Amino acid sequence: MSISENISRLKAEIPGHVSIIAVSKRKSAEDVMQAYVAGHRIFGENRVQELIEKQPLLPEDLKWHMIGHLQTNKVKFIAGFVDMIHSVDSIKLLRTIDKEALKNKRTIPVLLQVFIADEETKFGFSEEELNNLLQSEEFAALKNVRIDGLMGMATYTPDMEQVRSEFRYLREVFKRIKNACFAASDNFRHISMGMSGDYEIAIDEGSTMIRVGTIIFGARNY
Ligand SMILES: *Cc1c(COP(=O)(O)O)cnc(C)c1O
């Protein structure tokens, strides 16, 4: 099946309130262009280097989401154009994004990454750390970041019940944080969870943004 067929099939299959982030990492600008021509606009990359190489080759109205671990010293390269950063996992990174957004005279929408997996290699805040961060004066002083919700990555395991319970946990954290810190905010409404192997479960458990590469572009050759 072609990239455009993969996208239309996926769009037909999922509920309308769920956005698709087409993860184009390790795929060419030509592949991205095929999805673009089919009408798709939101793409995800996990490395700054690859993102800044691809971005100038593609149309301006394409929306780029940074979904991978981001080093503070690289924020400046994407702050001018990135549409959303899913992977904010420290106050230092949040502060840097705020500073670089201000330099670019804009506000950058971000998601806070929550650690939900059973793997030390994954990044993210615990619920307690999130609460401390969101109630801090330091956080209150940030004016050029907008917190649109939470993001999480489940454990890489064939045990789909474990994956489901991790997604369910993220949804519960989302609800508690929403009530405690963002009850009056319309922006805090996203839960970014689910990849090619588990997006159906993620949607069942309340995902509003799925990050899918393989089922759109095919397998990657690393
Ligand atoms: C690569 C990647 C994905 C998509 O993976 P697929 O299995 O190809 O759908 C989603 N999220 C993040 C953070 C990724 O790095």
Side-chain angles (χ1 to χ4, degrees), residues 65-85:
H65 286 206
M66 178 65 196
I67 61 170
H69 182 61
L70 178 58
Q71 289 168 286
T72 51
N73 60 352
K74 294 193 174 159
V75 174
K76 58 177 175 288
F77 300 119
I78 62 171
F81 69 88
V82 74
D83 207 68
M84 181 178 275
I85 299 173

mmCIF file with all atom_site columns, all heavy atoms in Angstrom, residues 65-85:
data_model
loop_
_atom_site.group_PDB
_atom_site.id
_atom_site.type_symbol
_atom_site.label_atom_id
_atom_site.label_alt_id
_atom_site.label_comp_id
_atom_site.label_asym_id
_atom_site.label_entity_id
_atom_site.label_seq_id
_atom_site.pdbx_PDB_ins_code
_atom_site.Cartn_x
_atom_site.Cartn_y
_atom_site.Cartn_z
_atom_site.occupancy
_atom_site.B_iso_or_equiv
_atom_site.pdbx_formal_charge
_atom_site.auth_seq_id
_atom_site.auth_comp_id
_atom_site.auth_asym_id
_atom_site.auth_atom_id
_atom_site.pdbx_PDB_model_num
ATOM 1   N N   . HIS A 1 65 ? 6.328  18.480 14.702 1.00 0.00 ? 65 HIS A N   1
ATOM 2   C CA  . HIS A 1 65 ? 6.322  18.208 16.135 1.00 0.00 ? 65 HIS A CA  1
ATOM 3   C C   . HIS A 1 65 ? 7.628  17.512 16.517 1.00 0.00 ? 65 HIS A C   1
ATOM 4   O O   . HIS A 1 65 ? 8.025  16.551 15.867 1.00 0.00 ? 65 HIS A O   1
ATOM 5   C CB  . HIS A 1 65 ? 5.153  17.283 16.506 1.00 0.00 ? 65 HIS A CB  1
ATOM 6   C CG  . HIS A 1 65 ? 3.819  17.963 16.478 1.00 0.00 ? 65 HIS A CG  1
ATOM 7   N ND1 . HIS A 1 65 ? 2.758  17.540 17.236 1.00 0.00 ? 65 HIS A ND1 1
ATOM 8   C CD2 . HIS A 1 65 ? 3.381  19.039 15.785 1.00 0.00 ? 65 HIS A CD2 1
ATOM 9   C CE1 . HIS A 1 65 ? 1.713  18.334 17.016 1.00 0.00 ? 65 HIS A CE1 1
ATOM 10  N NE2 . HIS A 1 65 ? 2.064  19.248 16.131 1.00 0.00 ? 65 HIS A NE2 1
ATOM 11  N N   . MET A 1 66 ? 8.277  18.011 17.555 1.00 0.00 ? 66 MET A N   1
ATOM 12  C CA  . MET A 1 66 ? 9.471  17.343 18.085 1.00 0.00 ? 66 MET A CA  1
ATOM 13  C C   . MET A 1 66 ? 8.986  16.332 19.109 1.00 0.00 ? 66 MET A C   1
ATOM 14  O O   . MET A 1 66 ? 8.315  16.698 20.079 1.00 0.00 ? 66 MET A O   1
ATOM 15  C CB  . MET A 1 66 ? 10.388 18.399 18.722 1.00 0.00 ? 66 MET A CB  1
ATOM 16  C CG  . MET A 1 66 ? 11.636 17.823 19.349 1.00 0.00 ? 66 MET A CG  1
ATOM 17  S SD  . MET A 1 66 ? 12.707 17.092 18.080 1.00 0.00 ? 66 MET A SD  1
ATOM 18  C CE  . MET A 1 66 ? 13.776 16.109 19.148 1.00 0.00 ? 66 MET A CE  1
ATOM 19  N N   . ILE A 1 67 ? 9.305  15.054 18.881 1.00 0.00 ? 67 ILE A N   1
ATOM 20  C CA  . ILE A 1 67 ? 8.750  14.016 19.763 1.00 0.00 ? 67 ILE A CA  1
ATOM 21  C C   . ILE A 1 67 ? 9.810  13.279 20.570 1.00 0.00 ? 67 ILE A C   1
ATOM 22  O O   . ILE A 1 67 ? 9.483  12.484 21.438 1.00 0.00 ? 67 ILE A O   1
ATOM 23  C CB  . ILE A 1 67 ? 7.913  12.987 18.958 1.00 0.00 ? 67 ILE A CB  1
ATOM 24  C CG1 . ILE A 1 67 ? 8.784  12.281 17.925 1.00 0.00 ? 67 ILE A CG1 1
ATOM 25  C CG2 . ILE A 1 67 ? 6.710  13.669 18.286 1.00 0.00 ? 67 ILE A CG2 1
ATOM 26  C CD1 . ILE A 1 67 ? 8.099  11.085 17.265 1.00 0.00 ? 67 ILE A CD1 1
ATOM 27  N N   . GLY A 1 68 ? 11.101 13.519 20.261 1.00 0.00 ? 68 GLY A N   1
ATOM 28  C CA  . GLY A 1 68 ? 12.158 12.761 20.932 1.00 0.00 ? 68 GLY A CA  1
ATOM 29  C C   . GLY A 1 68 ? 12.871 13.577 21.994 1.00 0.00 ? 68 GLY A C   1
ATOM 30  O O   . GLY A 1 68 ? 12.696 14.797 22.084 1.00 0.00 ? 68 GLY A O   1
ATOM 31  N N   . HIS A 1 69 ? 13.685 12.914 22.768 1.00 0.00 ? 69 HIS A N   1
ATOM 32  C CA  . HIS A 1 69 ? 14.456 13.566 23.832 1.00 0.00 ? 69 HIS A CA  1
ATOM 33  C C   . HIS A 1 69 ? 15.237 14.746 23.248 1.00 0.00 ? 69 HIS A C   1
ATOM 34  O O   . HIS A 1 69 ? 15.902 14.617 22.233 1.00 0.00 ? 69 HIS A O   1
ATOM 35  C CB  . HIS A 1 69 ? 15.414 12.553 24.461 1.00 0.00 ? 69 HIS A CB  1
ATOM 36  C CG  . HIS A 1 69 ? 16.200 13.123 25.591 1.00 0.00 ? 69 HIS A CG  1
ATOM 37  N ND1 . HIS A 1 69 ? 15.595 13.602 26.721 1.00 0.00 ? 69 HIS A ND1 1
ATOM 38  C CD2 . HIS A 1 69 ? 17.523 13.314 25.753 1.00 0.00 ? 69 HIS A CD2 1
ATOM 39  C CE1 . HIS A 1 69 ? 16.524 14.061 27.542 1.00 0.00 ? 69 HIS A CE1 1
ATOM 40  N NE2 . HIS A 1 69 ? 17.706 13.900 26.977 1.00 0.00 ? 69 HIS A NE2 1
ATOM 41  N N   . LEU A 1 70 ? 15.114 15.898 23.913 1.00 0.00 ? 70 LEU A N   1
ATOM 42  C CA  . LEU A 1 70 ? 15.665 17.139 23.363 1.00 0.00 ? 70 LEU A CA  1
ATOM 43  C C   . LEU A 1 70 ? 16.700 17.707 24.321 1.00 0.00 ? 70 LEU A C   1
ATOM 44  O O   . LEU A 1 70 ? 16.425 17.893 25.509 1.00 0.00 ? 70 LEU A O   1
ATOM 45  C CB  . LEU A 1 70 ? 14.503 18.123 23.155 1.00 0.00 ? 70 LEU A CB  1
ATOM 46  C CG  . LEU A 1 70 ? 14.781 19.524 22.639 1.00 0.00 ? 70 LEU A CG  1
ATOM 47  C CD1 . LEU A 1 70 ? 15.497 19.499 21.296 1.00 0.00 ? 70 LEU A CD1 1
ATOM 48  C CD2 . LEU A 1 70 ? 13.461 20.293 22.509 1.00 0.00 ? 70 LEU A CD2 1
ATOM 49  N N   . GLN A 1 71 ? 17.893 17.989 23.796 1.00 0.00 ? 71 GLN A N   1
ATOM 50  C CA  . GLN A 1 71 ? 18.936 18.604 24.625 1.00 0.00 ? 71 GLN A CA  1
ATOM 51  C C   . GLN A 1 71 ? 18.762 20.114 24.622 1.00 0.00 ? 71 GLN A C   1
ATOM 52  O O   . GLN A 1 71 ? 18.446 20.692 23.576 1.00 0.00 ? 71 GLN A O   1
ATOM 53  C CB  . GLN A 1 71 ? 20.315 18.245 24.079 1.00 0.00 ? 71 GLN A CB  1
ATOM 54  C CG  . GLN A 1 71 ? 20.683 16.797 24.304 1.00 0.00 ? 71 GLN A CG  1
ATOM 55  C CD  . GLN A 1 71 ? 21.918 16.422 23.495 1.00 0.00 ? 71 GLN A CD  1
ATOM 56  O OE1 . GLN A 1 71 ? 21.865 16.265 22.281 1.00 0.00 ? 71 GLN A OE1 1
ATOM 57  N NE2 . GLN A 1 71 ? 23.032 16.308 24.178 1.00 0.00 ? 71 GLN A NE2 1
ATOM 58  N N   . THR A 1 72 ? 19.002 20.729 25.768 1.00 0.00 ? 72 THR A N   1
ATOM 59  C CA  . THR A 1 72 ? 18.747 22.171 25.886 1.00 0.00 ? 72 THR A CA  1
ATOM 60  C C   . THR A 1 72 ? 19.551 22.977 24.861 1.00 0.00 ? 72 THR A C   1
ATOM 61  O O   . THR A 1 72 ? 19.046 23.947 24.310 1.00 0.00 ? 72 THR A O   1
ATOM 62  C CB  . THR A 1 72 ? 19.079 22.683 27.307 1.00 0.00 ? 72 THR A CB  1
ATOM 63  O OG1 . THR A 1 72 ? 20.395 22.252 27.639 1.00 0.00 ? 72 THR A OG1 1
ATOM 64  C CG2 . THR A 1 72 ? 18.107 22.156 28.323 1.00 0.00 ? 72 THR A CG2 1
ATOM 65  N N   . ASN A 1 73 ? 20.781 22.550 24.576 1.00 0.00 ? 73 ASN A N   1
ATOM 66  C CA  . ASN A 1 73 ? 21.611 23.341 23.653 1.00 0.00 ? 73 ASN A CA  1
ATOM 67  C C   . ASN A 1 73 ? 21.137 23.267 22.204 1.00 0.00 ? 73 ASN A C   1
ATOM 68  O O   . ASN A 1 73 ? 21.654 23.955 21.339 1.00 0.00 ? 73 ASN A O   1
ATOM 69  C CB  . ASN A 1 73 ? 23.091 22.936 23.768 1.00 0.00 ? 73 ASN A CB  1
ATOM 70  C CG  . ASN A 1 73 ? 23.325 21.475 23.434 1.00 0.00 ? 73 ASN A CG  1
ATOM 71  O OD1 . ASN A 1 73 ? 22.363 20.709 23.261 1.00 0.00 ? 73 ASN A OD1 1
ATOM 72  N ND2 . ASN A 1 73 ? 24.561 21.067 23.343 1.00 0.00 ? 73 ASN A ND2 1
ATOM 73  N N   . LYS A 1 74 ? 20.147 22.429 21.933 1.00 0.00 ? 74 LYS A N   1
ATOM 74  C CA  . LYS A 1 74 ? 19.646 22.321 20.558 1.00 0.00 ? 74 LYS A CA  1
ATOM 75  C C   . LYS A 1 74 ? 18.296 23.006 20.350 1.00 0.00 ? 74 LYS A C   1
ATOM 76  O O   . LYS A 1 74 ? 17.819 23.094 19.220 1.00 0.00 ? 74 LYS A O   1
ATOM 77  C CB  . LYS A 1 74 ? 19.546 20.844 20.166 1.00 0.00 ? 74 LYS A CB  1
ATOM 78  C CG  . LYS A 1 74 ? 20.918 20.202 20.099 1.00 0.00 ? 74 LYS A CG  1
ATOM 79  C CD  . LYS A 1 74 ? 20.889 18.864 19.424 1.00 0.00 ? 74 LYS A CD  1
ATOM 80  C CE  . LYS A 1 74 ? 22.319 18.346 19.267 1.00 0.00 ? 74 LYS A CE  1
ATOM 81  N NZ  . LYS A 1 74 ? 22.323 16.877 19.090 1.00 0.00 ? 74 LYS A NZ  1
ATOM 82  N N   . VAL A 1 75 ? 17.703 23.481 21.423 1.00 0.00 ? 75 VAL A N   1
ATOM 83  C CA  . VAL A 1 75 ? 16.373 24.095 21.310 1.00 0.00 ? 75 VAL A CA  1
ATOM 84  C C   . VAL A 1 75 ? 16.396 25.265 20.332 1.00 0.00 ? 75 VAL A C   1
ATOM 85  O O   . VAL A 1 75 ? 15.473 25.469 19.546 1.00 0.00 ? 75 VAL A O   1
ATOM 86  C CB  . VAL A 1 75 ? 15.869 24.563 22.704 1.00 0.00 ? 75 VAL A CB  1
ATOM 87  C CG1 . VAL A 1 75 ? 14.571 25.339 22.580 1.00 0.00 ? 75 VAL A CG1 1
ATOM 88  C CG2 . VAL A 1 75 ? 15.695 23.363 23.631 1.00 0.00 ? 75 VAL A CG2 1
ATOM 89  N N   . LYS A 1 76 ? 17.484 26.036 20.355 1.00 0.00 ? 76 LYS A N   1
ATOM 90  C CA  . LYS A 1 76 ? 17.562 27.243 19.515 1.00 0.00 ? 76 LYS A CA  1
ATOM 91  C C   . LYS A 1 76 ? 17.413 26.946 18.026 1.00 0.00 ? 76 LYS A C   1
ATOM 92  O O   . LYS A 1 76 ? 16.961 27.794 17.268 1.00 0.00 ? 76 LYS A O   1
ATOM 93  C CB  . LYS A 1 76 ? 18.859 28.007 19.776 1.00 0.00 ? 76 LYS A CB  1
ATOM 94  C CG  . LYS A 1 76 ? 20.135 27.222 19.554 1.00 0.00 ? 76 LYS A CG  1
ATOM 95  C CD  . LYS A 1 76 ? 21.354 28.135 19.792 1.00 0.00 ? 76 LYS A CD  1
ATOM 96  C CE  . LYS A 1 76 ? 22.679 27.408 19.703 1.00 0.00 ? 76 LYS A CE  1
ATOM 97  N NZ  . LYS A 1 76 ? 22.930 26.513 20.855 1.00 0.00 ? 76 LYS A NZ  1
ATOM 98  N N   . PHE A 1 77 ? 17.777 25.734 17.613 1.00 0.00 ? 77 PHE A N   1
ATOM 99  C CA  . PHE A 1 77 ? 17.710 25.412 16.183 1.00 0.00 ? 77 PHE A CA  1
ATOM 100 C C   . PHE A 1 77 ? 16.279 25.194 15.684 1.00 0.00 ? 77 PHE A C   1
ATOM 101 O O   . PHE A 1 77 ? 16.018 25.231 14.490 1.00 0.00 ? 77 PHE A O   1
ATOM 102 C CB  . PHE A 1 77 ? 18.558 24.170 15.870 1.00 0.00 ? 77 PHE A CB  1
ATOM 103 C CG  . PHE A 1 77 ? 20.008 24.335 16.215 1.00 0.00 ? 77 PHE A CG  1
ATOM 104 C CD1 . PHE A 1 77 ? 20.625 23.504 17.145 1.00 0.00 ? 77 PHE A CD1 1
ATOM 105 C CD2 . PHE A 1 77 ? 20.760 25.341 15.619 1.00 0.00 ? 77 PHE A CD2 1
ATOM 106 C CE1 . PHE A 1 77 ? 21.969 23.658 17.469 1.00 0.00 ? 77 PHE A CE1 1
ATOM 107 C CE2 . PHE A 1 77 ? 22.110 25.505 15.932 1.00 0.00 ? 77 PHE A CE2 1
ATOM 108 C CZ  . PHE A 1 77 ? 22.706 24.661 16.865 1.00 0.00 ? 77 PHE A CZ  1
ATOM 109 N N   . ILE A 1 78 ? 15.369 24.889 16.598 1.00 0.00 ? 78 ILE A N   1
ATOM 110 C CA  . ILE A 1 78 ? 14.000 24.575 16.160 1.00 0.00 ? 78 ILE A CA  1
ATOM 111 C C   . ILE A 1 78 ? 12.949 25.560 16.685 1.00 0.00 ? 78 ILE A C   1
ATOM 112 O O   . ILE A 1 78 ? 11.800 25.538 16.253 1.00 0.00 ? 78 ILE A O   1
ATOM 113 C CB  . ILE A 1 78 ? 13.591 23.127 16.562 1.00 0.00 ? 78 ILE A CB  1
ATOM 114 C CG1 . ILE A 1 78 ? 13.602 22.937 18.092 1.00 0.00 ? 78 ILE A CG1 1
ATOM 115 C CG2 . ILE A 1 78 ? 14.511 22.106 15.894 1.00 0.00 ? 78 ILE A CG2 1
ATOM 116 C CD1 . ILE A 1 78 ? 13.002 21.602 18.548 1.00 0.00 ? 78 ILE A CD1 1
ATOM 117 N N   . ALA A 1 79 ? 13.381 26.448 17.598 1.00 0.00 ? 79 ALA A N   1
ATOM 118 C CA  . ALA A 1 79 ? 12.415 27.315 18.297 1.00 0.00 ? 79 ALA A CA  1
ATOM 119 C C   . ALA A 1 79 ? 11.653 28.245 17.359 1.00 0.00 ? 79 ALA A C   1
ATOM 120 O O   . ALA A 1 79 ? 10.542 28.669 17.665 1.00 0.00 ? 79 ALA A O   1
ATOM 121 C CB  . ALA A 1 79 ? 13.121 28.123 19.383 1.00 0.00 ? 79 ALA A CB  1
ATOM 122 N N   . GLY A 1 80 ? 12.233 28.558 16.221 1.00 0.00 ? 80 GLY A N   1
ATOM 123 C CA  . GLY A 1 80 ? 11.598 29.498 15.311 1.00 0.00 ? 80 GLY A CA  1
ATOM 124 C C   . GLY A 1 80 ? 10.417 28.912 14.550 1.00 0.00 ? 80 GLY A C   1
ATOM 125 O O   . GLY A 1 80 ? 9.547  29.652 14.089 1.00 0.00 ? 80 GLY A O   1
ATOM 126 N N   . PHE A 1 81 ? 10.395 27.591 14.396 1.00 0.00 ? 81 PHE A N   1
ATOM 127 C CA  . PHE A 1 81 ? 9.355  27.024 13.533 1.00 0.00 ? 81 PHE A CA  1
ATOM 128 C C   . PHE A 1 81 ? 8.593  25.842 14.129 1.00 0.00 ? 81 PHE A C   1
ATOM 129 O O   . PHE A 1 81 ? 7.518  25.484 13.634 1.00 0.00 ? 81 PHE A O   1
ATOM 130 C CB  . PHE A 1 81 ? 9.967  26.597 12.182 1.00 0.00 ? 81 PHE A CB  1
ATOM 131 C CG  . PHE A 1 81 ? 10.908 25.408 12.281 1.00 0.00 ? 81 PHE A CG  1
ATOM 132 C CD1 . PHE A 1 81 ? 10.413 24.119 12.178 1.00 0.00 ? 81 PHE A CD1 1
ATOM 133 C CD2 . PHE A 1 81 ? 12.272 25.586 12.486 1.00 0.00 ? 81 PHE A CD2 1
ATOM 134 C CE1 . PHE A 1 81 ? 11.266 23.014 12.274 1.00 0.00 ? 81 PHE A CE1 1
ATOM 135 C CE2 . PHE A 1 81 ? 13.130 24.492 12.585 1.00 0.00 ? 81 PHE A CE2 1
ATOM 136 C CZ  . PHE A 1 81 ? 12.620 23.204 12.480 1.00 0.00 ? 81 PHE A CZ  1
ATOM 137 N N   . VAL A 1 82 ? 9.113  25.214 15.178 1.00 0.00 ? 82 VAL A N   1
ATOM 138 C CA  . VAL A 1 82 ? 8.474  23.970 15.653 1.00 0.00 ? 82 VAL A CA  1
ATOM 139 C C   . VAL A 1 82 ? 7.048  24.254 16.134 1.00 0.00 ? 82 VAL A C   1
ATOM 140 O O   . VAL A 1 82 ? 6.774  25.291 16.736 1.00 0.00 ? 82 VAL A O   1
ATOM 141 C CB  . VAL A 1 82 ? 9.344  23.293 16.745 1.00 0.00 ? 82 VAL A CB  1
ATOM 142 C CG1 . VAL A 1 82 ? 9.264  24.031 18.083 1.00 0.00 ? 82 VAL A CG1 1
ATOM 143 C CG2 . VAL A 1 82 ? 8.985  21.828 16.928 1.00 0.00 ? 82 VAL A CG2 1
ATOM 144 N N   . ASP A 1 83 ? 6.146  23.352 15.811 1.00 0.00 ? 83 ASP A N   1
ATOM 145 C CA  . ASP A 1 83 ? 4.737  23.566 16.118 1.00 0.00 ? 83 ASP A CA  1
ATOM 146 C C   . ASP A 1 83 ? 4.355  23.068 17.512 1.00 0.00 ? 83 ASP A C   1
ATOM 147 O O   . ASP A 1 83 ? 3.455  23.606 18.158 1.00 0.00 ? 83 ASP A O   1
ATOM 148 C CB  . ASP A 1 83 ? 3.899  22.822 15.082 1.00 0.00 ? 83 ASP A CB  1
ATOM 149 C CG  . ASP A 1 83 ? 2.562  23.470 14.905 1.00 0.00 ? 83 ASP A CG  1
ATOM 150 O OD1 . ASP A 1 83 ? 2.524  24.595 14.384 1.00 0.00 ? 83 ASP A OD1 1
ATOM 151 O OD2 . ASP A 1 83 ? 1.560  22.867 15.319 1.00 0.00 ? 83 ASP A OD2 1
ATOM 152 N N   . MET A 1 84 ? 5.031  22.032 17.955 1.00 0.00 ? 84 MET A N   1
ATOM 153 C CA  . MET A 1 84 ? 4.806  21.519 19.312 1.00 0.00 ? 84 MET A CA  1
ATOM 154 C C   . MET A 1 84 ? 6.002  20.665 19.718 1.00 0.00 ? 84 MET A C   1
ATOM 155 O O   . MET A 1 84 ? 6.588  19.985 18.881 1.00 0.00 ? 84 MET A O   1
ATOM 156 C CB  . MET A 1 84 ? 3.518  20.687 19.378 1.00 0.00 ? 84 MET A CB  1
ATOM 157 C CG  . MET A 1 84 ? 3.214  20.131 20.771 1.00 0.00 ? 84 MET A CG  1
ATOM 158 S SD  . MET A 1 84 ? 1.678  19.196 20.870 1.00 0.00 ? 84 MET A SD  1
ATOM 159 C CE  . MET A 1 84 ? 0.499  20.508 21.130 1.00 0.00 ? 84 MET A CE  1
ATOM 160 N N   . ILE A 1 85 ? 6.339  20.708 21.011 1.00 0.00 ? 85 ILE A N   1
ATOM 161 C CA  . ILE A 1 85 ? 7.382  19.828 21.544 1.00 0.00 ? 85 ILE A CA  1
ATOM 162 C C   . ILE A 1 85 ? 6.713  18.874 22.537 1.00 0.00 ? 85 ILE A C   1
ATOM 163 O O   . ILE A 1 85 ? 6.145  19.308 23.536 1.00 0.00 ? 85 ILE A O   1
ATOM 164 C CB  . ILE A 1 85 ? 8.512  20.639 22.219 1.00 0.00 ? 85 ILE A CB  1
ATOM 165 C CG1 . ILE A 1 85 ? 9.177  21.572 21.186 1.00 0.00 ? 85 ILE A CG1 1
ATOM 166 C CG2 . ILE A 1 85 ? 9.540  19.704 22.861 1.00 0.00 ? 85 ILE A CG2 1
ATOM 167 C CD1 . ILE A 1 85 ? 10.209 22.547 21.772 1.00 0.00 ? 85 ILE A CD1 1
#
